[in-house]
Amino acid sequence: MKHFLFLVSFVFAVLFLALLNKKNHTAQGQTQKLKVFTSTSFASNFGPGPLLKAEFEKSCQCEVDFVEGSDSSIIIQRLKVEGESLGIDMIIGFDQFEIETAQKSIDWKTLKFDTKDFEKVIAQDFANEFFVPYDWGLLSFVGKKGLPEIKTLRDLMSPDFHKKFALQDPRTSSPGLQFLSWLTKEEFTLQEMSQVIDQAYSIAPSWSSAYSLMTRGQVDYVFSYVTSPLYHQLIEKNNNYQAFKLSEPLPIQVEYFGITEFCQNCELAEKFAQYLVSREGQKIIMEKNFMFPVLPEVRKGTPFDIVDHFLFEKNNQFKPVQALQRWSQARRGNFSE
Amino acid sequence: MINKRILTVLFGLILLSPFVLALQYLTAWPLLQVEDITWGLKNSVLQSFFSALFSVLIGVFLARALVSPNIPRRATQMMQSLLLLPLFLPSLVVCLVLILAIEPFPFGNLGVILTQVFVYSGVVAVALSRVLIHKFGQSGDIALTLGSDQKLFWLFIVLPGIKRELIVQFGLIFAACFSSFSVPLLMGGGRAENIEVLILDSIRNYGDWSGAILLTLGQVSLLYILTFFLQKNQKTTFSQREFLAHPLFAARFEFYLATGVLLFFIFYIFKIFLSILTQIEWMPIFTWDLIALGFGTLLISFLSVLMTAILFCFYLFLSESESLHQFLTSYFAPSTALGALALSSVISFSEESAYGVIALVLSLLSFPVLYKIFWETHHKEILKMWDLTRTLGANPLLTVQYVLLPMLRKTFEKSLLVIFIWSSADFAISRVVSVRELTLAMRVDRLLSSYYFESAFVILLILGIVVGIFYSIARGVIHVYRRKT
């Protein structure tokens, strides 16, 4: 028993020391602390968060503290429920559909950013009073090179692609919602939508589970970002993947940041926001997030300069709640419009 | 003198707290559509009914193997552990193995049923094997003397004799599948959402807390009523003997078949890890913070074990209460997402104490499940002991300390081991409660949400090793302690 007690005491002592060390570290600098709520993938060591934080902290007497939520929708719900008590200054990572919900949930500061150097389509079609875009992506089907091409969205209903592609569930995944917006834009009827659902090998709960079905060879195609093959090319040195060009314009996902009305370090939040859309910040975001930067000059001459290969267009008519209800209806096999 | 009735109510409220606290968000009219509820309910019933039916059928088949006298005892014991393995492994691992092993995997209701049958038939087999030993140890002799063969004996004596237990097992598996979340989400393929998935959907997409709470209330009530009536049917006490030394129970074929399937499952787990290890050179896995995450995992696991131990001690003190037993056997904790969000939004906690809050949520949500798996079959033994000690005039606290705890030591240890494993593998509750990465399982989740799938599985392997080492140390310590005392 003594040994056991010794072991437990040892574990707790180490943890206590680690905690103490962490607290001292914060106290020594006496710096301002910017609390940024963001997604897990943004804040992780493999995402752009840590590098952005390190570079920004060099130029200010401050500390950027990333606070994570499981996903953007859960972040919105937490903000709605816990609000000011969370002490959040800034949010990074809502897409164009989520900012609508976020605006209804809590109050945001009006942001006046100079967007004249931004990608034209982003500055014109995706401007918002409270949120500023910091990266964007196009979504299409991704698969190994040499596979039969998916040429149009309606090819998904063909027997040739039966159970050969994976999608994301629009109710639990933001790429899934983008796919639904695409179907809506291309005026898929409930029956056609239902056919696509039946043809898919799986409608996975997240982008990661759908994508791993493709990398593990369970399916040939997956709905993903056109920049996904760049990850394999640049990190894994594997040039075997490609994003397919479809005849229909591809859906665009734009990611935004916003500053809460109850921010405690509002000025610092604005400075960090400026840094995110600076050339330096944009380069980090592009290379670590595998998304297009909002400043087009940053991607010029890099492997990310592939935007012109694809047709794309904003879906102005898309209403997520109604579209999700249609999706549920199609899934149930109820085709009455 | 402590009023046990008040304490029992308090204990019930503690267990119900995740749900009671969520009621504060019942502020608006729910946005739920009737068609969605009907669809979710239809899928829930369909999945639960067939999962329970096939789990019981396969469970009977496997139970035969477990009680067979012509199989070495050590082999059946090992098989018993293997049969329980899918239940105690994280759902993600079980789902991944099945997706890789069965190609093309039938995502949808069929996929959900297949996975749930795989997870639960082993538990049914273990429970039924105990019933078989208890009920038919002696009637087998009479049947053999009267010239019965194995087929007639099973058809006309054993199966009618365990009808009631089969119904109880069916009901319990039905209830467990009805409240299942991760399997329908992962294996439903977007086409088989049950009520639990609908609850998350209501909060996530529509911010409809009222709808989520009402759905949860409906689900918990339905399951409570179902299991309440089933428990009334359960009269059997389970035998602690290990096997039946009787030729009418010989079942070598079933044993080999079941062992084959289980080994195939284990083979696939290793196959996945081997394929990953061959790609290890480009993976940015080993960062220093892994050590802190390892400690975080252990801290949450230890705290969960501690809190669960306290809850079980509290339960033992109140275990005379028939209504508490009925409550615990019938109550299924509500949706994990709803419970965790409700608890974490009410308890004001600093970042450091998030470890404790996660452990609290895990313990409260797991307690009813652990009770059903390990404790409910001991209820009658416990009541007998209370009668005896009361007659002898013993103090209730001393009864718990010196009679009940030593008597149920193995059950206690098993429950704590399972909560240790579950909490070390949890990322769903941790993610909802904490805004920081605290554990290895959360790192796995984080890696999965970017492109680093292989790295995620290596971390999962490390997690398994860490848990395994600490489990072995704990077992060793307990062993030494027992020998010394």
Side-chain angles (χ1 to χ4, degrees), chain A residues 331-332, chain B residues 32-50 109 174 177-179 191-199 214-223:
Chain A
R331 213 183 45 206
R332 289 196 303 264
Chain B
L32 280 167
Q33 292 196 325
V34 178
E35 291 94 336
D36 277 331
I37 302 174
T38 327
W39 166 260
L41 192 65
K42 191 192 94 185
N43 283 333
S44 289
V45 171
L46 189 82
Q47 290 162 14
S48 312
F49 179 82
F50 284 105
N109 279 323
F174 183 93
C177 297
F178 203 90
S179 56
R191 296 180 279 257
E193 293 77 10
N194 66 355
I195 293 285
E196 278 283 333
V197 178
L198 212 57
I199 291 171
L214 288 177
L215 275 177
T216 309
L217 185 66
Q219 173 167 289
V220 171
S221 311
L222 193 76
L223 292 178

Side-chain angles (χ1 to χ4, degrees), chain A residues 1 3-5 7-8 10-12 14-15 19 22-23 33 35 37 40-41 43-46 65-74 77-78 80-82 86 98 101 163 169-174 196-205 207-209 211-213 215-218 224-225 227-229 231-232 235-236 289-290 320-321 324-325 327-329 331-334, chain B residues 25 31 33 35-36 39 42 96 99-107 185-186 188-193 197-198 200-209 272 275-276 279 282 284-285 287 289 292 295-296 298-299 302-303 337 341 344-345 349 351-352 355 431-437 442-443 445-455 457 470 473-474 477-478 480-481 484:
Chain A
M1 192 61 187
H3 295 95
F4 181 66
L5 285 175
L7 177 77
V8 172
F10 174 75
V11 170
F12 278 88
V14 171
L15 285 166
L19 207 69
K22 193 176 158 188
K23 276 182 177 167
K33 200 174 192 179
K35 246 183 162 179
F37 214 156
T40 306
S41 54
S44 79
N45 289 339
F46 318 106
D65 183 22
F66 287 119
V67 176
E68 297 169 32
S70 48
D71 68 22
S72 305
S73 297
I74 294 291
Q77 291 312 318
R78 283 200 72 160
K80 202 173 164 181
V81 171
E82 296 170 66
L86 277 169
E98 286 158 348
T101 323
K163 303 291 176 198
D169 195 323
R171 294 158 321 127
T172 50
S173 150
S174 59
V196 172
I197 293 171
D198 289 339
Q199 283 272 105
Y201 178 69
S202 172
I203 296 162
W207 170 85
S208 57
S209 40
Y211 202 81
S212 65
L213 285 174
T215 52
R216 301 213 151 270
Q218 306 273 309
S224 186
Y225 299 91
T227 41
S228 296
Y231 167 79
H232 300 284
I235 307 293
E236 293 177 13
N289 222 20
F290 289 91
V321 172
L324 282 169
Q325 281 165 353
W327 174 269
S328 298
Q329 208 181 323
R331 213 183 45 206
R332 289 196 303 264
N334 176 1
Chain B
Y25 300 115
L31 304 170
Q33 292 196 325
E35 291 94 336
D36 277 331
W39 166 260
K42 191 192 94 185
L96 185 81
I99 290 171
L100 290 177
I102 304 167
E103 202 178 335
F105 188 83
F107 286 100
L185 195 67
L186 288 162
R191 296 180 279 257
E193 293 77 10
V197 178
L198 212 57
L200 176 76
D201 191 24
S202 303
I203 302 176
R204 195 187 179 281
N205 290 317
Y206 306 109
D208 182 15
W209 282 76
I272 292 167
S275 74
I276 287 160
Q279 301 167 40
W282 52 264
I285 311 166
T287 48
D289 60 344
F295 276 122
L298 289 175
L299 182 60
F302 278 132
L303 289 173
L341 263 173
S344 59
S345 64
F349 58 92
E351 282 161 17
E352 284 76 24
Y355 294 97
R431 270 271 170 256
V432 176
V433 174
S434 173
V435 290
R436 304 256 175 243
E437 193 175 69
M442 286 170 92
R443 171 59 58 88
D445 178 44
R446 169 183 271 193
L447 288 164
L448 282 174
S449 65
S450 43
Y451 289 89
Y452 299 90
F453 310 110
E454 275 74 18
S455 313
F457 289 108
F470 271 81
I473 293 173
V477 169
I478 291 168
V480 172
Y481 173 70
K484 282 189 175 175

Side-chain angles (χ1 to χ4, degrees), chain A residues 72-327:
Chain A
S72 305
S73 297
I74 294 291
I75 291 176
I76 295 174
Q77 291 312 318
R78 283 200 72 160
L79 278 170
K80 202 173 164 181
V81 171
E82 296 170 66
E84 208 171 335
S85 66
L86 277 169
I88 300 299
D89 299 307
M90 188 180 180
I91 306 282
I92 300 177
F94 288 166
D95 73 9
Q96 70 261 39
F97 304 132
E98 286 158 348
I99 56 172
E100 286 181 29
T101 323
Q103 272 173 252
K104 287 178 202 156
S105 304
I106 59 163
D107 292 329
W108 300 88
K109 270 202 177 311
T110 308
L111 297 177
K112 289 192 177 80
F113 271 63
D114 182 8
T115 56
K116 70 173 189 307
D117 293 333
F118 277 23
E119 194 85 49
K120 218 171 174 187
V121 65
I122 304 297
Q124 284 172 357
D125 296 351
F126 292 91
N128 185 285
E129 197 183 347
F130 304 103
F131 296 91
V132 177
Y134 66 90
D135 72 9
W136 63 291
L138 297 174
L139 291 107
S140 180
F141 282 88
V142 171
K144 287 202 171 134
K145 284 179 179 167
L147 287 170
E149 288 205 12
I150 302 176
K151 287 175 182 150
T152 80
L153 203 46
R154 282 183 166 77
D155 277 353
L156 297 178
M157 295 185 288
S158 143
D160 295 344
F161 296 100
H162 180 67
K163 303 291 176 198
K164 288 199 171 159
F165 60 92
L167 299 170
Q168 297 85 8
D169 195 323
R171 294 158 321 127
T172 50
S173 150
S174 59
L177 198 59
Q178 291 291 340
F179 181 74
L180 181 58
S181 87
W182 203 14
L183 293 185
T184 312
K185 188 165 181 302
E186 298 306 323
E187 296 177 342
F188 269 60
T189 63
L190 287 170
Q191 208 149 6
E192 286 174 318
M193 222 182 250
S194 166
Q195 251 181 292
V196 172
I197 293 171
D198 289 339
Q199 283 272 105
Y201 178 69
S202 172
I203 296 162
S206 63
W207 170 85
S208 57
S209 40
Y211 202 81
S212 65
L213 285 174
M214 192 272 290
T215 52
R216 301 213 151 270
Q218 306 273 309
V219 290
D220 291 338
Y221 313 91
V222 64
F223 185 66
S224 186
Y225 299 91
V226 298
T227 41
S228 296
L230 290 177
Y231 167 79
H232 300 284
Q233 188 189 319
L234 300 173
I235 307 293
E236 293 177 13
K237 311 290 174 212
N238 178 353
N239 206 10
N240 267 347
Y241 294 91
Q242 67 165 327
F244 295 94
K245 288 175 209 170
L246 276 78
S247 58
E248 296 92 349
L250 305 181
I252 312 172
Q253 184 175 37
V254 179
E255 293 189 296
Y256 295 82
F257 58 76
I259 299 174
T260 57
E261 188 65 65
F262 48 74
C263 56
Q264 284 160 8
N265 293 297
C266 308
E267 260 182 53
L268 194 59
E270 282 209 31
K271 275 186 192 161
F272 189 60
Q274 291 286 2
Y275 178 68
L276 288 180
V277 290
S278 68
R279 278 182 63 95
E280 197 189 352
Q282 285 286 289
K283 190 168 180 291
I284 295 172
I285 290 171
M286 176 182 79
E287 287 170 356
K288 288 280 187 174
N289 222 20
F290 289 91
M291 294 285 271
F292 296 128
V294 286
L295 296 178
E297 68 203 63
V298 173
R299 63 179 161 80
K300 294 277 182 259
T302 72
F304 287 86
D305 201 10
I306 52 169
V307 175
D308 299 338
H309 298 191
F310 301 95
L311 269 176
F312 54 91
E313 201 172 55
K314 187 193 176 188
N315 181 357
N316 291 313
Q317 309 300 320
F318 187 64
K319 292 189 171 62
V321 172
Q322 285 88 332
L324 282 169
Q325 281 165 353
R326 280 191 90 225
W327 174 269

Side-chain angles (χ1 to χ4, degrees), chain B residues 55-56 58-69 76-77 79-81 83-84 120-137 154 158 162 165-166 169 236-245 249 251 377:
Chain B
S55 297
V56 168
I58 296 171
V60 173
F61 181 80
L62 294 172
R64 279 166 57 91
L66 285 178
V67 296
S68 175
T76 51
Q77 279 173 339
M79 188 173 153
Q80 194 166 311
S81 312
L83 284 172
L84 294 172
Y120 290 113
S121 45
V123 191
V124 177
V126 174
L128 287 180
S129 68
R130 299 282 163 85
V131 178
L132 289 175
I133 293 161
H134 178 77
K135 279 195 162 179
F136 302 102
W154 274 89
V158 177
I162 57 168
E165 285 75 23
L166 293 180
Q169 289 301 320
T236 315
T237 49
F238 292 78
S239 175
Q240 297 301 311
R241 274 195 290 159
E242 298 291 336
F243 69 110
L244 280 170
F249 283 95
T377 52

